[in-house]
Amino acid sequence: MTLALGIETSCDETSVAIVETSANDERTRVHCNLVATQFDLHAKFGGVVPEIASRAHLQKLDLLVREALEETGVSPADLDVICVTRAPGLIGALLVGVTAARTLAWSWDKPLLGVNHIHAHATSAAIELDAAPWPAVALVVSGGHTSLYAVQDWDNISSLGATIDDAAGEAFDKVAAILALGYPGGPIVDRRAAGGNAAAVEFPRSMLRGDSLDFSFSGLKTAVLYEVHGRGRTSGGLDGITDERIADLCASFSQAVVDVLVAKTLMAVRKTGAKTIVVGGGVAANSALRRELAAACERDGVALHLTPMRYCTDNAAMIASHGLRLFERGHRSDLALGASANAAE
Ligand code: KG4
Ligand code: ZN
């Protein structure tokens, strides 16, 4: 049995998890996954304020570590490794987690392992599966990232493509802001789309021509602005816009995002020859994406593993789970581990 403590502080969720793997099977067992959201602190600003995020992580993190140990009855001596998100994310927020993990590893005399947050999203669908699903194409769709990866194994992940501007979740959040629906926008747009007609407005599907696996969503956001305020106008009131029209706009916008995500993910499957798709990140909670990917995979005979909803948004279980597999394969970080805002590190 190998036991990890995981710490995640890359953005606006402070999270601590205790996760176990066993030599007898390939399953990862999550003993606890505590998430303290900072939602209320940032909501009035309409987005995450980095300085406020760092301070809130500082206030919460040691309490969560203590709570996780008490709740599971695990003592520091039982742990085999401390795993922490080291990149990418808000640098101040990352540094809170990395500094805490370095301190715990030093004072408890345990190995330390820095984990790439996006790689952890890419493998989060494997948490609680009976067997690892690799090789697979991984689609990571979150507020900060939209990326495709070829995953050969936990420590063999290569990038196939990524967004060149906005992330998919960012586009959802911006469209919600345009329509004054609230923050974070993804879940609200998803809910409003359920009552709308996805064919009401023909929004652009960017970068579908050619064989690039990169994405672009900023043009789509501008198209929504023009649709709401009139051609060439990026501001104005929302007077006279009915609930029905909002539902149609949400459904048509969601469809445009989902069409691109599904088409490119299947293109990645054809390019790599993989027979499995895994999907992680906050936007993996989107109902249209889940539905349409399932239909496409059924049609093409591809296996699909969607990350369980509780591991879609930022959480430490995916950090500990990914870190444990790296640890088992011999990876270690030294106590001088640093943090980086950069996705490639
Ligand atoms: O992975 P995550 O928690 O944070 C990042 O690492 O970015 O993802 C948050 C993003 C937000 O942009 C949020 O609006 C989006 O995921 N999101 C959704 C849904 N639930 C969350 N987007 C579309 N549909 C949803 N149901
Ligand atoms: Zn994330």
Side-chain angles (χ1 to χ4, degrees):
M1 176 183 109
T2 318
L3 204 56
L5 178 82
I7 294 177
E8 154 65 35
T9 64
S10 68
C11 190
D12 59 344
E13 320 278 7
T14 315
S15 183
V16 174
I18 294 181
V19 165
E20 177 196 326
T21 55
S22 127
N24 302 328
D25 58 37
E26 288 195 60
R27 215 175 148 82
T28 307
R29 288 171 181 81
V30 178
H31 291 297
C32 83
N33 182 37
L34 306 176
V35 183
T37 181
Q38 302 174 4
F39 175 81
D40 292 343
L41 296 177
H42 302 289
K44 59 176 173 289
F45 299 102
V48 178
V49 183
E51 190 57 35
I52 293 176
S54 308
R55 203 173 321 150
H57 288 309
L58 262 178
Q59 284 166 346
K60 281 277 159 60
L61 190 53
D62 62 336
L63 296 174
L64 287 186
V65 171
R66 234 174 294 163
E67 199 179 321
L69 294 172
E70 271 166 28
E71 190 183 305
T72 55
V74 167
S75 86
D78 301 329
L79 294 168
D80 295 290
V81 58
I82 317 282
C83 304
V84 62
T85 307
R86 62 170 171 76
L90 302 170
I91 189 65
L94 286 165
L95 280 169
V96 174
V98 167
T99 307
R102 285 169 55 171
T103 310
L104 292 176
W106 179 77
S107 59
W108 292 342
D109 195 20
K110 298 289 174 185
L112 175 68
L113 191 54
V115 173
N116 180 299
H117 179 88
I118 312 299
H119 288 183
H121 272 306
T123 61
S124 59
I127 305 176
E128 298 180 358
L129 285 186
D130 284 333
W134 326 128
V137 163
L139 171 67
V140 178
V141 264
S142 72
H145 304 276
T146 300
S147 307
L148 281 164
Y149 293 96
V151 184
Q152 296 299 333
D153 193 13
W154 299 85
D155 62 349
N156 185 353
I157 298 177
S158 47
S159 173
L160 297 169
T163 183
I164 58 168
D165 43 51
D166 292 352
E170 196 178 352
F172 271 96
D173 294 337
K174 285 179 177 170
V175 164
I178 292 167
L179 297 172
L181 297 178
Y183 163 86
I188 307 173
V189 171
D190 194 4
R191 236 175 296 128
R192 297 295 286 265
N197 172 11
V201 184
E202 182 67 24
F203 285 122
R205 272 71 171 157
S206 318
M207 301 189 69
L208 272 189
R209 276 188 293 269
D211 66 350
S212 165
L213 292 174
D214 287 335
F215 300 88
S216 166
F217 292 110
S218 74
L220 177 55
K221 170 199 65 196
T222 310
V224 174
L225 271 174
Y226 288 171
E227 191 61 36
V228 171
H229 300 302
R231 184 103 223 122
R233 295 183 54 194
T234 53
S235 61
L238 292 172
D239 294 346
I241 185 161
T242 62
D243 280 353
E244 193 185 350
R245 171 92 169 133
I246 286 183
D248 284 351
L249 287 166
C250 288
S252 300
F253 160 77
S254 301
Q255 191 65 48
V257 174
V258 167
D259 280 354
V260 174
L261 293 175
V262 171
K264 298 242 173 190
T265 307
L266 290 174
M267 205 191 287
V269 163
R270 285 192 293 276
K271 270 193 176 178
T272 58
K275 302 210 163 21
T276 301
I277 293 172
V278 296
V279 190
V283 185
N286 183 264
S287 51
L289 179 62
R290 294 177 90 88
R291 188 178 60 236
E292 305 236 344
L293 264 177
C297 286
E298 170 98 39
R299 187 193 61 219
D300 289 6
V302 176
L304 175 67
H305 297 291
L306 296 163
T307 298
M309 293 289 224
R310 61 191 172 286
Y311 305 130
C312 279
T313 46
D314 291 347
N315 67 89
M318 69 178 189
I319 302 302
S321 156
H322 189 79
L324 256 183
R325 301 299 178 178
L326 299 185
F327 179 72
E328 287 170 351
R329 284 157 179 74
H331 297 261
R332 305 286 183 273
S333 300
D334 72 37
L335 275 183
L337 176 70
S340 169
N342 192 331
E345 291 178 29

